[in-house]
Structure formats: C-alpha cells, structure tokens
Amino acid sequence: MSRVREIAPQGVDAAYDIAGQGALPDSIELRGAERIITIADPTGTSLAIPLSTAMATDGDRILAEAAQTAIDGKLRIVIAADLPLVDAAKAMAQSETGHAQGKIVLHP
C-alpha cells in the first residue's frame, strides 16, 4: 500500500481487486468502500464490496472456434523476439515497453 500512496498521495479513484488474499482492507483504506469491486475475494461481501462472478456464457463456442482456426492452419502467432534464456532481462525490458509486436520467446 505504501507504493500506491507514493504515486497517488491524494488516494485512488477506484479499485479492482484481482489478487484476493486480503487486499480489500488496503483498498478500502485508500478509497473508502465505494468504487471497489473484487473478482477474487468472496469475503468482500462482508465488507460491502461487490463480488463480480460474471463468466462468458459462450466459452465453449469460443474455444471450439479457436481450436478450429488452429486445425485449419489459420492461427498465426507473431514472434517479436527469439532470445536465449541468458537474455531474459533483455526480454523483460522489451516486454515492459509495451511495444513488442508479438510474443517474446525464450529458449535454452
């Protein structure tokens, strides 16, 4: 929480908990109980925090379409970089720029 306070001393506008594991009390301290939602902590309801459990209802169809795309040979995976494992730090730096045009592959 101290890292959040450092970059947002005025507090935060909203919080979206995807971590669970007791993160909600910190979020409430930063934001108050309004504009917080969790997908990871079912105990949040006892703190008046909504639990979102919405799931895609057509997941089976989407998976089947993706599988058929692969079967048909139409699945294209763009490789932005192919690096040896010793260059993992370089790969991470490239990934963190947010500008990698494809997947970054590390190999032994």
Side-chain angles (χ1 to χ4, degrees), residues 38-97:
T38 182
I39 62 168
D41 190 345
T43 65
T45 55
S46 67
L47 301 169
I49 305 300
L51 173 66
S52 176
T53 58
M55 300 288 286
T57 57
D58 58 349
D60 288 342
R61 180 190 57 79
I62 293 168
L63 183 59
E65 287 175 4
Q68 191 61 52
T69 300
I71 291 167
D72 293 343
K74 296 178 182 176
L75 181 63
R76 182 171 175 263
I77 300 173
V78 177
I79 305 297
D82 183 0
L83 303 168
L85 188 56
V86 297
D87 288 337
K90 180 179 176 182
M92 188 63 161
Q94 183 177 353
S95 176
E96 288 176 340
T97 69

Side-chain angles (χ1 to χ4, degrees), residues 12-60:
V12 296
D13 294 331
Y16 182 55
D17 172 42
I18 60 171
Q21 302 174 359
L24 288 177
D26 288 343
S27 295
I28 292 169
E29 186 176 329
L30 289 166
R31 171 67 213 153
E34 295 178 9
R35 296 181 55 139
I36 298 176
I37 191 166
T38 182
I39 62 168
D41 190 345
T43 65
T45 55
S46 67
L47 301 169
I49 305 300
L51 173 66
S52 176
T53 58
M55 300 288 286
T57 57
D58 58 349
D60 288 342

